[in-house]
């Protein structure tokens, strides 16, 4: 005997945790934030900073390009002191561990910052 789709759906929903049973909408309609809730500009900027950490590692190998075409380095000149600090051994790994340990699990930070 074959099970009907509605029986299959109800058996899956009965296995879900209680809070997620109410999410019966289509998978593409899930929202990361509530409707009308928008993150302020400062939170967006802070949320982008961890994504700049891998970018700092590219400058170690990109200096050849900057030597050949010096005008490419002009937008990054203000970042060079920070990048030189991040080139020290294990600094970027320590920053990653600190962010993971103290920011992502800290409920005092907004959800937008913790997620990013």
């Amino acid at each position: 005997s074959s099970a009907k789709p509605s029986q299959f759906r109800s058996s899956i929903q009965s296995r879900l945790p209680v809070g997620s049973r109410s999410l019966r909408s289509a998978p593409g309609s899930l929202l990361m934030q509530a409707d009308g809730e928008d993150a302020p500009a400062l939170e967006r900027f802070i949320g982008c900073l961890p994504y700049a950490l891998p970018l700092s590692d590219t400058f170690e190998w990109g200096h050849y390009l900057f030597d050949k075409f010096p005008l490419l380095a002009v937008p990054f000149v203000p970042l060079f002191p920070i990048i030189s600090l991040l080139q020290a051994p294990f600094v970027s790994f320590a920053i990653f561990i600190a962010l993971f340990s103290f920011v992502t699990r800290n409920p005092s930070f907004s959800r937008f910052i913790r997620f990013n």
Side-chain angles (χ1 to χ4, degrees):
S1 73
S2 63
K4 294 180 183 177
S6 61
Q7 291 172 341
F8 180 70
R9 189 177 311 122
S10 64
S11 69
I12 288 178
Q13 288 176 350
S14 66
R15 293 181 200 161
L16 292 174
V18 175
S20 62
R21 288 183 190 167
S22 63
L23 297 176
R24 293 186 178 136
S25 60
S29 66
L30 293 176
L31 297 174
M32 293 303 296
Q33 294 180 340
D35 289 333
E37 183 181 331
D38 196 19
L42 181 61
E43 285 186 11
R44 289 177 185 265
F45 177 73
I46 293 171
C48 291
L49 289 179
Y51 295 105
L53 191 59
L55 178 66
S56 68
D57 292 333
T58 62
F59 287 104
E60 181 179 350
W61 306 105
H63 73 85
Y64 301 110
L65 191 61
F66 293 149
D67 292 342
K68 187 111 172 137
F69 304 102
L71 286 177
L72 290 177
V74 172
F76 302 104
V77 169
L79 299 176
F80 284 159
I82 297 169
I83 292 169
S84 65
L85 288 173
L86 292 174
Q87 296 300 323
F90 300 107
V91 170
S92 59
F93 181 67
I95 291 172
F96 170 76
I97 295 297
L99 286 173
F100 182 74
S101 299
F102 300 114
V103 175
T104 58
R105 304 198 179 233
N106 190 346
S108 66
F109 288 104
S110 73
R111 185 171 188 270
F112 185 81
I113 291 176
R114 287 185 291 146
F115 179 76
N116 286 306

